[in-house]
Amino acid sequence: MQTITSCGGAEDWRAPVPTTGYAGAPIFSSTAGCDGAIWMVTRAGILLRLSPRQQQVAKLALDPEVDSLYLVPASDGSVWVIDYRSTGDFSGSLDVGRFNASGQIGKPLHVADDTRMSAVLGSDGALWGFVPGRLLRIDLDGNLHAYAIPDKDLP
């Protein structure tokens, strides 16, 4: 039995915690959710949600063509998935989606081209991200707000 800690609490996990995903694909990224669930995504494009309380594993399919995925847990138990895929010759597409145990919530948002994004969770559950020249905020309803960042040295 393994003990999993998330958001200040501990949960007992009595089933084996996988180190590889389905079909033997390695785990690419993982995060602990505030509801005690563990979210993992594999190189094969499979999103896994391990629920210690219910002793269940939910398998949600993502696009296997992504080059990198980054997970940020949301305060309501869902997870934000930041997806970058290369389109060749140093170009790519950056999209953001949100998932819960049942599947995708709303449609994914295309937020930028040719860049990756660093992101954090706001106190209201919104995802805040930074891409060159812009600060982005995606609220829980899926609305994207972009704020320009001045292109000059700040004091």
Side-chain angles (χ1 to χ4, degrees):
M1 177 172 55
Q2 295 194 16
T3 300
I4 296 171
T5 304
S6 65
C7 296
E11 298 288 339
D12 288 331
W13 181 256
R14 290 181 175 78
V17 175
T19 56
T20 63
Y22 289 82
I27 300 296
F28 180 67
S29 181
S30 64
T31 191
C34 287
D35 62 350
I38 304 299
W39 291 90
M40 294 181 276
V41 67
T42 71
R43 280 272 188 208
I46 297 171
L47 181 64
L48 302 171
R49 182 182 183 275
L50 285 71
S51 174
R53 289 187 184 112
Q54 288 84 26
Q55 302 293 309
Q56 296 175 344
V57 178
K59 177 183 166 189
L60 307 163
L62 299 174
D63 186 343
E65 299 300 318
V66 298
D67 293 317
S68 65
L69 290 165
Y70 179 58
L71 303 175
V72 178
S75 56
D76 65 355
S78 62
V79 67
W80 293 97
V81 178
I82 301 168
D83 160 0
Y84 179 80
R85 68 188 74 229
S86 175
T87 55
D89 294 337
F90 303 106
S91 61
S93 174
L94 181 67
D95 300 311
V96 175
R98 192 163 62 100
F99 290 79
N100 63 19
S102 300
Q104 187 159 359
I105 301 169
K107 293 183 178 183
L109 295 170
H110 176 73
V111 296
D113 289 314
D114 306 330
T115 188
R116 296 177 190 243
M117 178 173 84
S118 57
V120 296
L121 184 67
S123 61
D124 62 352
L127 184 73
W128 287 86
F130 173 76
V131 296
R134 292 186 297 155
L135 181 64
L136 307 174
R137 180 181 181 273
I138 304 171
D139 62 33
L140 290 174
D141 293 325
N143 299 308
L144 174 64
H145 308 272
Y147 307 94
I149 297 174
D151 189 20
K152 61 181 179 179
D153 293 332
L154 299 175

